[in-house]
Amino acid sequence: MSSARLTATCGPITFQNPVLAASGTFGYGSEFEHFFPVASLGGFVTKTLFVEPRDGNPAPRVAETSTGMINSIGLANVGWEAFVKEKVPDLKATVGAAKMLVNIAGNSPDEYRAIAARVEGDRERIGCAGIEVNVSCPNVKEGGTNIGCDRDQFQAAVRGVRQETSLPIFVKLSPNVTDVVPFAGCAMDEGAEGVSLINTLYGMQIDVEKRRPVLGTGSGGLSGPAILPVGVYWTYKVRAAFPDLPILGIGGIATWRDALQYLLAGAQAIQVGTAAFVNPLACVEIIAGLERYCSQRETTITELSGAAHREGRLAEPATWTG
Amino acid sequence: MTPSPTAAGVFALPLASTADIAAGTSWLRFRPPPDTACEPGQFFMLSTVAPSPVAYLGRPFSIGDVRDGEWFFMLRALGRGTAWLRTLELGTMMRLVGPLGVGFARDESKVHRMIAGGIGLAPFLFLARRLRTEQPEAAIELYYGERDARSHIELTADEKELFDTVERFTDDGSLGIAGSVVDGLENRWAEPEVAWYGCGPQPMLRAAAAKLEEHDVDSAQFAFEERMACGFGVCQACIVPNRYPPPRYHLLCTEGPVLEIGKVAW
Ligand SMILES: Cc1cc2nc3c(=O)[nH]c(=O)nc-3n(C[C@H](O)[C@H](O)[C@H](O)COP(=O)(O)OP(=O)(O)OC[C@H]3O[C@@H](n4cnc5c(N)ncnc54)[C@H](O)[C@@H]3O)c2cc1C
Ligand SMILES: Cc1cc2nc3c(=O)[nH]c(=O)nc-3n(C[C@H](O)[C@H](O)[C@H](O)COP(=O)(O)O)c2cc1C
Ligand code: FES
């Protein structure tokens, strides 16, 4: 059990601490159990689930960069039915006070609606605290445009999910747009309880010997410490625009100091992804670091959240000058 | 005997010693806490505790040997990360995540025959050590090929004792028999009561698997390599095509790295 100082309130969901494991980097929740008790986390987000299972993309699926990695996993997942039958029973025994968010996606707004309906139907059985909507998915019927980068499709997907479920919804925003803020506003207008940001940034690595892209699909999503400032920036901007919209901050968090940057920028809680590949204990070390910080400074996560705005030096981040 | 995967842990250990054994190739030695068991064919993800400016992710390495409770990894510099790992100073705090994956099943057999290409030698000293104690009557054979004499890893007297037969090959003939291990095995593919083990570059494994299938050998365990980001089943990076889908892919870090050759779509 975390100390009361660490309690993180994100709209209708209260986490025992502000540290969650991010989608796609924590499996379905039980894979980390031999490293540390999952019950010690604030929560975790499942791998993105579709109604039907998906095999994902051809190899190579990952390329390392100087301070991170690019992945093109292709949202490989076991599908909803196998998740409920094969993964959830293991989880029930271990999840304890940690909260599970189920991450969902589809290849069209209709598919988002369909998977949301499945989650709603099984909500008692799986015991999840809410849904995270991964909108970074190509619409196969619309020539593969990224649903998370197209306002109309984004709105349709979020609306569909909202209509099917009364569970709390966090929409996971893509940074691959000129401005993330209007997408956050749209999610809020469509009745989402909060937003998660950011997902990975488009990236490519080229093998100079072979003279072709390294990844099997050519390009992928960049994650890890390299993207920390991008996530902190958008967290700050979204908090400034919508002070009451709960934010789960994600991107490049490897230490408690990184986590604190997101909290100060305006997140109520954070998620750790790539860092846990390198150090499976990253989440528990971050919780311990925040605990130490809060007790030494006699403060709480709630007090820290958004504090960078209150310092008053920068009401708005400056625009670039060159 | 089929190994049951040991629960993996995260170990922060200082690099206790290194020893050069061939061009670009060294042993790394660590002193783990007592009673941390691992099985031949299993692996660890190695990284430094202080984030590296060169290699962000961990790198997978087979457990190369276990002696007097100490862990040895046989490391060959083949790229950016491995070259950097070879330059680390003694005492550098390293993070070892493991033991991971499923190693070699060690069923009773009259002959245990290991075919190694290059750094594919890495898992076999430990495998031979276990087989020696578990099946003292069995013959343990090593067929080991390298590009040239410089890359060739000379076994110590103690290591040689682990094998009844060691046959060495080099592509350029600068040491041992000239040519590949696969060609060198000539007519031995069809011999009965042989348990086959393989590890090495993909083309070598493919050629060996083809020979074995040609001779109706229906069981052989090969240790495979794929790019890995986590090593413990969460990132889905390490796929190997499945001969009998669905699913379309095996996840190498949890189902392997040792797979029966019949399971793989070559
Ligand atoms: C289960 C397993 C056990 C292994 N055991 C050993 C061992 O005992 N001794 C040893 O020397 N090597 C071993 N390897 C290979 C070793 O992990 C790679 O040589 C190493 O990852 C290459 O990293 P690099 O940065 O030097 O190469 P680069 O080519 O610069 O690496 C770029 C990226 O490709 C990945 N990559 C490149 N080659 C390989 C490869 N062959 N296998 C997996 N990933 C690769 C790297 O992890 C990195 O992310 C093993 C690999 C696996 C999968
Ligand atoms: C290998 C890998 C797989 C991922 N899979 C998913 C996924 O299935 N769904 C999702 O919403 N995000 C996925 N992500 C994105 C992460 O959840 C996170 O948003 C992103 O990696 C940035 O955080 P990080 O820098 O801490 O990793 C994945 C990331 C990685 C590295
Ligand atoms: S390396 Fe991450 S799943 Fe295998």
Side-chain angles (χ1 to χ4, degrees), chain A residues 233-279:
Chain A
Y233 174 80
W234 287 119
T235 300
Y236 192 98
K237 290 287 273 187
V238 169
R239 175 72 182 246
F242 311 111
D244 299 323
L245 180 67
I247 299 171
L248 299 174
I250 322 169
I253 299 173
T255 68
W256 65 269
R257 287 174 175 279
D258 302 337
L260 195 51
Q261 287 200 51
Y262 275 92
L263 296 170
L264 295 171
Q268 278 74 15
I270 58 96
Q271 299 183 15
V272 179
T274 306
F277 295 162
V278 189
N279 176 13

Side-chain angles (χ1 to χ4, degrees), chain A residues 54-69:
Chain A
R54 281 163 65 105
D55 290 320
N57 290 328
R61 288 178 168 186
V62 293
E64 190 186 52
T65 67
S66 55
T67 51
M69 61 182 276

Side-chain angles (χ1 to χ4, degrees), chain A:
Chain A
M1 214 23 228
S2 310
S3 84
R5 289 184 189 282
L6 290 192
T7 304
T9 308
C10 295
I13 309 180
T14 302
F15 299 103
Q16 62 175 337
N17 65 60
V19 180
L20 282 72
S23 179
T25 61
F26 203 67
Y28 301 98
S30 49
E31 288 86 342
F32 271 76
E33 195 58 41
H34 44 250
F35 296 124
F36 64 84
V38 170
S40 62
L41 295 176
F44 65 89
V45 190
T46 66
K47 176 75 191 165
T48 292
L49 287 152
F50 286 65
V51 173
E52 299 297 332
R54 281 163 65 105
D55 290 320
N57 290 328
R61 288 178 168 186
V62 293
E64 190 186 52
T65 67
S66 55
T67 51
M69 61 182 276
I70 310 174
N71 87 80
S72 61
I73 306 299
L75 300 175
N77 78 101
V78 296
W80 185 252
E81 209 169 294
F83 170 69
V84 173
K85 288 205 183 118
E86 292 157 27
K87 308 290 178 182
V88 170
D90 278 357
L91 270 173
K92 284 242 159 136
T94 55
V95 71
K99 300 268 163 78
M100 172 169 76
L101 300 183
V102 171
N103 183 301
I104 58 169
N107 281 121
S108 66
D110 284 346
E111 284 189 30
Y112 278 89
R113 181 188 285 277
I115 179 72
R118 298 296 295 269
V119 183
E120 179 66 28
D122 288 322
R123 61 187 281 181
E124 301 304 332
R125 210 167 144 197
I126 59 175
C128 70
I131 294 179
E132 183 173 74
V133 187
N134 176 9
V135 288
S136 300
C137 196
N139 187 335
V140 286
K141 291 182 198 120
E142 300 284 334
T145 50
N146 189 329
I147 293 169
C149 302
D150 178 291
R151 269 295 285 281
D152 293 342
Q153 294 186 44
F154 175 92
Q155 185 171 31
V158 178
R159 183 171 293 176
V161 173
R162 178 74 294 165
Q163 283 170 355
E164 296 297 334
T165 180
S166 59
L167 281 162
I169 299 172
F170 282 77
V171 181
K172 184 165 178 179
L173 303 179
S174 169
N176 299 314
V177 293
T178 316
D179 191 353
V180 173
V181 175
F183 286 85
C186 177
M188 193 172 69
D189 293 343
E190 291 301 325
E193 276 74 8
V195 289
S196 305
L197 59 113
I198 55 177
N199 211 317
T200 54
L201 289 132
Y202 291 148
M204 180 183 274
Q205 189 175 68
I206 291 176
D207 184 324
V208 297
E209 304 298 332
K210 296 182 185 149
R211 301 186 181 178
R212 57 162 199 253
V214 171
L215 294 178
T217 49
S219 61
L222 177 67
S223 65
I227 72 169
L228 178 80
V230 183
V232 171
Y233 174 80
W234 287 119
T235 300
Y236 192 98
K237 290 287 273 187
V238 169
R239 175 72 182 246
F242 311 111
D244 299 323
L245 180 67
I247 299 171
L248 299 174
I250 322 169
I253 299 173
T255 68
W256 65 269
R257 287 174 175 279
D258 302 337
L260 195 51
Q261 287 200 51
Y262 275 92
L263 296 170
L264 295 171
Q268 278 74 15
I270 58 96
Q271 299 183 15
V272 179
T274 306
F277 295 162
V278 189
N279 176 13
L281 303 180
C283 284
V284 282
E285 289 173 9
I286 292 169
I287 295 169
L290 291 174
E291 172 92 62
R292 240 180 358 258
Y293 181 89
C294 286
S295 65
Q296 278 166 8
R297 313 285 169 112
E298 297 194 2
T299 183
T300 65
I301 295 300
T302 308
E303 234 171 55
L304 291 168
S305 174
H309 296 260
R310 295 194 287 273
E311 293 305 309
R313 280 194 297 276
L314 265 182
E316 276 289 301
T319 45
W320 300 291
T321 49

Side-chain angles (χ1 to χ4, degrees), chain B residues 70-266:
Chain B
E70 294 187 317
W71 291 343
F72 293 81
F73 296 91
M74 190 188 275
L75 183 152
R76 175 159 291 178
L78 291 175
R80 195 175 71 237
T82 42
W84 168 75
L85 284 168
R86 273 194 87 229
T87 66
L88 295 179
E89 291 182 8
L90 295 191
T92 304
M93 285 306 287
M94 312 254 329
R95 188 185 295 109
L96 288 74
V97 179
L100 298 166
V102 185
F104 296 102
R106 303 188 296 275
D107 295 332
E108 293 269 332
S109 186
K110 210 168 119 195
V111 179
H112 295 280
R113 186 169 290 162
M114 302 169 200
I115 48 180
I119 192 63
L121 177 65
F124 289 140
L125 298 181
F126 186 34
L127 175 61
R129 200 176 291 283
R130 280 290 167 86
L131 288 170
R132 260 285 179 258
T133 45
E134 291 167 358
Q135 301 177 39
E137 306 299 316
I140 303 177
E141 304 177 358
L142 176 66
Y143 295 83
Y144 163 42
E146 280 287 2
R147 186 176 312 137
D148 51 33
R150 279 185 68 241
S151 319
H152 190 93
I153 299 160
E154 190 61 45
L155 300 183
T156 63
D158 163 69
E159 289 161 356
K160 280 188 191 136
E161 300 244 305
L162 299 171
F163 301 96
D164 298 281
T165 308
V166 177
E167 272 192 33
R168 307 183 297 175
F169 302 81
T170 47
D171 294 344
D172 67 356
S174 52
L175 189 147
I177 302 163
S180 77
V181 177
V182 173
D183 292 340
L185 277 161
E186 287 171 345
N187 49 14
R188 272 170 279 193
W189 299 101
E191 285 172 9
E193 293 183 75
V194 177
W196 291 89
Y197 310 87
C199 186
Q202 187 79 2
M204 179 201 108
L205 294 184
R206 193 181 294 118
K211 286 279 187 199
L212 288 164
E213 291 191 1
E214 204 177 286
H215 291 90
D216 297 320
V217 178
D218 56 7
S219 169
Q221 302 179 71
F222 285 6
F224 289 81
E225 287 184 9
E226 236 325 311
R227 281 170 182 249
M228 295 185 172
C230 70
F232 46 88
V234 297
C235 76
Q236 312 270 313
C238 58
I239 48 165
V240 172
N242 183 359
R243 185 178 294 188
Y244 302 106
R248 188 154 165 202
Y249 301 112
H250 296 292
L251 211 53
L252 192 65
C253 69
T254 52
E255 293 173 54
V258 176
L259 294 174
E260 272 289 339
I261 55 169
K263 290 186 173 177
V264 176
W266 290 90

